[in-house]
Amino acid sequence: MFDSGVGGLTVLAEVRKALPDAPVIYAADIAGLPYGTKTEAEVAARVCGLLGRMAERWHPRLICIACNTASTIALAMVRDVLEVPIVGTVPAIKPAAAITKTGVIGLLGTEATVRQGYVDRLASEFAAGKTLIRHGANGLVTLAEAKLRGEIVAPDALAAELDGLLRHPQAKDLDTLVLACTHFPLLELELSAAFGGRTAFVDGAAGIARRIAHLTKGQPFARPSPDRAVTTGDLVDFERLSPVLGQYGLEELEIF
Ligand code: DGL
């Protein structure tokens, strides 16, 4: 499972429920974090290069790109060059469109995700006739990373990230919000308070876990030793996450 940081843990939580015996290597490109402020070329180069090297080193039976930014930019490119099944994470616009009553949906992602053509295609295929308010909030990634390192999420900092969305002319009708960044469910309590508990949140994690279970159906799994988390960044910083990573069954921490 691959993400720029800790966001992919929200996908891993669902994968653990669906496939409790599946061994997982969790790879965080912390040297490249955040992806949301990068250009398409920068994200594509990192994701293709790193996943290529990781696939050669570990020979995974499946790769999950547990990151909306990486997936909406580079999923097709990675699939082109790696001979491994690859499951991506793309904004859950389809389920959001199915549950909205007002027809006004928010799309909260990184700035890089919300501008992708991939999102245009999902919107026209699944949310035609609805209003999709796109809002990039790169700073929420930093807040989620800090929260998992034990820091307090300052309500003002969170509010500043949401300001543009909450001031949109149609925001009062927004009843459904797509959490289109795997980091954002880590802030669900804080986001729920900011939206006054009136908005349904939708993300793709459970659907991704179902897809992985489907693609590996019938395959035997065994997890005889603790799973590993690797970082492209600094090991001392990564070790600050060890209590949280341990809760997801990731007990060995290494540098990639
Ligand atoms: N977790 C990633 C996502 O789903 C992005 C975080 C970042 O900006 O690096 O989009």
Side-chain angles (χ1 to χ4, degrees), residues 3-8 29 32-37 66-71 89 109-111 113 138 141-142 145 180-184:
D3 182 39
S4 55
V6 294
D29 181 17
L33 179 83
Y35 280 3
T37 55
C67 172
N68 290 260
T69 312
S71 300
T89 306
T110 65
E111 283 175 26
T113 294
N138 294 332
V141 173
T142 315
E145 289 282 332
C181 169
T182 54
H183 279 74
F184 296 173

Side-chain angles (χ1 to χ4, degrees), residues 124-145:
S124 57
E125 190 171 348
F126 300 115
K130 318 240 188 270
T131 300
L132 186 70
I133 308 174
R134 303 182 192 205
H135 183 69
N138 294 332
L140 293 181
V141 173
T142 315
L143 293 179
E145 289 282 332

Side-chain angles (χ1 to χ4, degrees), residues 15 28 40 54 63 73 90 107 109-110 133 145 149 164 176-177 216 234 254:
V15 170
E40 282 70 4
M54 288 172 181
I63 292 172
I73 292 174
V90 298
L107 180 76
T110 65
I133 308 174
E145 289 282 332
R149 286 167 176 76
T176 309
L177 184 67
T216 56
D234 175 61
E254 288 171 18

Side-chain angles (χ1 to χ4, degrees), residues 89-122:
T89 306
V90 298
I93 291 173
K94 185 180 177 185
I99 64 168
T100 178
K101 293 205 166 50
T102 59
V104 180
I105 303 167
L107 180 76
L108 189 64
T110 65
E111 283 175 26
T113 294
V114 301
R115 66 171 181 252
Q116 293 310 311
Y118 205 121
V119 172
D120 301 342
R121 291 192 291 280
L122 290 173

